[in-house]
Amino acid sequence: MMVDPLPRRFLSSHKSLVTVFWIATFASLFIWQFGGVSTNLYNVGTGFSFFRWSSTAAAAAGGFSKLRPVAFNLTDFGAVGDGVTINTEAFERAVYKISKLSKKGGGQLNVPPGRWLTAPFNLTSYMTLFLHHDAEILALQDEKYWPLLPPLPSYGYGREHPGPRYGSFIHGQNLRDVVITGNNGSINGQGQTWWKKYRQKLLNHTRGPLVQIMWSSDIVFANITLRDSPFWTLHPYDCKNVTITNMTILAPVFEAPNTDGIDPDSCEDMLIENSYISVGDDGIAIKSGWDQYGTTYGRPSKNILIRNLIIRSMVSAGISIGSEMSGGVSNITVENILIWSSRRGVRIKTAPGRGGYVRDITFRNVTLDELRVGIVIKTDYNEHPDGGFNPQAFPVLENINYTGIYGQGVRVPVRIQGSKEIPVKNVTFRDMSVGITYKKKHIFQCAYVEGRVIGTIFPAPCENLDRYDEQERLVKQSDSQNATDIDYEI
């Protein structure tokens, strides 16, 4: 039996290119991890600027680059890095000291080699937290040490329980100019106890993130490892001008519930780049509030650039938008991404009752390696905070582009499930070749989708989409936008 040779020819050459690309990426990460850091601003072509981090000459004595006019060592405040002594007071005294230096450019807290056990603590403005490569900040596991905070205003409800929620391990509110960096030191949430209690239904409040920064601007996370969060790992909430670069974010791929890697939530002007994420839920999940609470809060996530990442998510998706997106999500670019050994690749999820919109989204140069489903849009993700949502609040999904989508070993490359109430409009596919593991029908699945395919793609697209040639001339117009070919049995 003759088999179309296109996928095999393409994947052979493309895998070589991908290998070269990721070798170059890892080489740059290696250079980063063993060099110092410096900052400058640069523009990414979207009308806003980000901090850019680059390697510098050798770090200052003791392995610390000095990024502020005044620097302190954690041991100056009586801390002991034996993994047993509780150092909460030392962290709090250090942060208080730095809070008094804002008019002088702030201060830097160096965390030397050791295992520094502490309860949750807050950051302050104009602060750099710098971790030596052999430093590990450890979270106390007993929830009695974790403060309770009001529900997030755009959620109106603890994400897992009504009422107060646990705060994050490292927390900040209403801050400006904060840097968390180092020579690849670690912040460890020691989430195992939390995960076990969650599964056994022994917790009365929503678990806290590992790091949460709220209502803040000019925030940088660079060159550290975040691991084993009790809940979401890194949660910037209603922040502006955030850079996340050269990070490693880890949690077990199974039995670590809701340990998303990065959750930009009602944020704008954000860069996420050059990082490795392997976690127990979504690698990245862009959010903007939940149902009527998110609509009322009214803060969209917008102007976010995500690039040069390697992601693994065995139980969820590499990159998601939603499902909490009621404040709106727009102007998102995702490019140069490898998602491997995962359940899903890139996903948009929403439901009736959400309201809001997802629009002007670009996925470009995305490689999918051994996935169950590659591209997903789901419009019936029916989780709600309470019964007060409006079931007639239908979100708008439009202007979504997929260009340069490659891969191998993908069971269902595309599953776009719009509905009569929530059609998916103006979707574009161009330059796509994904090797498949399921040779039968229903591998490019669509329902209530309007859009187009430019040029030839593999596998063959659904009948819902218009066909254009490489010069973008209409070849065949679809009259089946409302056709349904969704099969969850595959």
Side-chain angles (χ1 to χ4, degrees):
M1 181 177 66
M2 295 295 292
V3 178
D4 187 343
L6 172 62
R8 182 178 300 173
R9 291 200 315 270
F10 173 82
L11 288 168
S12 177
S13 61
H14 180 68
K15 285 181 72 178
S16 299
L17 291 173
V18 168
T19 299
V20 171
F21 172 78
W22 291 115
I23 287 173
T25 299
F26 278 122
S28 65
L29 287 172
F30 179 87
I31 292 169
W32 161 265
Q33 290 178 0
F34 290 93
V37 291
S38 64
T39 62
N40 61 296
L41 287 171
Y42 76 112
N43 188 281
V44 298
T46 54
F48 50 89
S49 296
F50 292 112
F51 287 104
R52 180 178 182 178
W53 287 71
S54 58
S55 60
T56 64
F64 298 106
S65 298
K66 189 174 179 181
L67 306 177
R68 300 282 181 181
V70 180
F72 304 99
N73 194 302
L74 184 61
T75 55
D76 297 339
F77 302 91
V80 179
D82 58 6
V84 177
T85 303
I86 298 176
N87 296 292
T88 312
E89 184 177 349
F91 276 102
E92 290 175 343
R93 289 170 56 204
V95 173
Y96 178 77
K97 187 87 170 181
I98 292 171
S99 73
K100 302 301 181 182
L101 299 172
S102 60
K103 294 182 179 180
K104 299 179 180 179
Q108 177 170 318
L109 178 59
N110 294 327
V111 183
R115 304 179 75 239
W116 307 92
L117 184 66
T118 177
F121 63 93
N122 294 317
L123 303 177
T124 189
S125 292
Y126 306 102
M127 175 179 178
T128 294
L129 180 66
F130 195 102
L131 280 70
H132 187 279
H133 68 84
D134 288 326
E136 185 174 36
I137 302 176
L138 297 170
L140 279 166
Q141 295 175 294
D142 190 337
E143 66 264 26
K144 73 181 182 183
Y145 290 98
W146 291 59
L148 289 175
L149 301 178
L152 295 169
S154 60
Y155 288 71
Y157 181 102
R159 191 59 182 82
E160 298 171 330
H161 295 277
R165 60 190 176 91
Y166 288 109
S168 61
F169 176 49
I170 296 179
H171 192 79
Q173 295 185 189
N174 301 302
L175 304 182
R176 183 175 182 182
D177 186 5
V178 173
V179 179
I180 302 179
T181 188
N183 293 323
N184 204 29
S186 298
I187 300 173
N188 188 337
Q190 301 200 101
Q192 294 81 357
T193 298
W194 292 92
W195 307 333
K196 183 178 180 180
K197 288 182 177 180
Y198 170 77
R199 289 192 296 267
Q200 295 176 343
K201 302 186 185 303
L202 297 177
L203 297 171
N204 296 319
H205 306 285
T206 299
R207 291 166 288 158
L210 185 63
V211 181
Q212 183 178 65
I213 307 295
M214 304 173 62
W215 305 306
S216 300
S217 64
D218 303 326
I219 310 297
V220 175
F221 298 89
N223 202 33
I224 58 172
T225 295
L226 304 178
R227 64 183 312 133
D228 294 345
S229 175
F231 191 55
W232 300 343
T233 303
L234 177 51
H235 185 210
Y237 180 83
D238 198 354
C239 291
K240 295 182 179 181
N241 196 21
V242 179
T243 297
I244 301 171
T245 185
N246 296 96
M247 298 286 289
T248 302
I249 300 178
L250 304 172
V253 293
F254 294 114
E255 304 296 327
N258 309 109
T259 50
D260 296 3
I262 304 172
D263 290 81
D265 201 338
S266 295
C267 288
E268 62 179 284
D269 301 349
M270 176 179 286
L271 173 66
I272 303 172
E273 66 172 2
N274 301 339
S275 297
Y276 179 82
I277 303 172
S278 178
V279 290
D281 208 302
D282 292 323
I284 295 175
I286 301 173
K287 304 175 183 292
S288 65
W290 202 10
D291 287 4
Q292 72 273 25
Y293 302 106
T295 302
T296 300
Y297 191 69
R299 301 284 202 283
S301 281
K302 61 183 181 180
N303 303 340
I304 299 176
L305 173 60
I306 302 171
R307 64 186 182 190
N308 306 339
L309 306 182
I310 301 174
I311 304 176
R312 187 186 190 198
S313 172
M314 289 288 286
V315 301
S316 198
I319 296 176
S320 286
I321 298 175
S323 73
E324 307 95 325
M325 41 58 66
S326 302
V329 177
S330 66
N331 194 22
I332 311 297
T333 298
V334 177
E335 62 185 10
N336 303 334
I337 307 294
L338 170 63
I339 302 170
W340 68 285
S341 189
S342 297
R343 187 175 181 87
R344 304 173 189 89
V346 294
R347 174 172 63 167
I348 298 171
K349 49 183 178 177
T350 186
R354 291 289 190 269
Y357 54 85
V358 176
R359 63 166 62 106
D360 302 327
I361 313 296
T362 297
F363 297 96
R364 181 168 52 236
N365 192 22
V366 176
T367 300
L368 311 171
D369 187 8
E370 302 295 335
L371 273 62
R372 181 170 179 176
V373 187
I375 293 169
V376 181
I377 298 179
K378 184 175 177 62
T379 58
D380 61 352
Y381 202 85
N382 288 309
E383 285 186 342
H384 303 281
D386 53 40
F389 71 95
N390 177 8
Q392 300 301 310
F394 300 121
V396 173
L397 307 182
E398 61 186 3
N399 306 336
I400 304 167
N401 298 288
Y402 302 92
T403 301
I405 309 298
Y406 316 117
Q408 63 176 352
V410 179
R411 189 171 178 84
V412 178
V414 178
R415 179 178 286 150
I416 300 180
Q417 183 186 4
S419 66
K420 183 177 180 180
E421 296 78 16
I422 312 174
V424 183
K425 297 182 178 181
N426 196 23
V427 176
T428 300
F429 287 89
R430 185 171 195 165
D431 184 18
M432 173 176 174
S433 184
V434 177
I436 57 178
T437 61
Y438 194 79
K439 304 297 184 182
K440 299 181 181 180
K441 297 180 180 180
H442 310 297
I443 57 173
F444 198 119
Q445 302 179 8
C446 299
Y448 289 91
V449 180
E450 301 174 14
R452 60 180 182 166
V453 173
I454 300 175
T456 301
I457 67 172
F458 184 88
C462 59
E463 61 180 328
N464 307 61
L465 303 174
D466 298 336
R467 310 292 180 89
Y468 287 75
D469 63 18
E470 293 288 355
Q471 288 71 45
E472 301 190 26
R473 296 173 299 203
L474 180 64
V475 174
K476 180 182 179 182
Q477 187 167 10
S478 173
D479 58 3
S480 305
Q481 287 90 350
N482 297 339
T484 300
D485 187 18
I486 303 294
D487 185 356
Y488 281 98
E489 297 300 317
I490 300 177

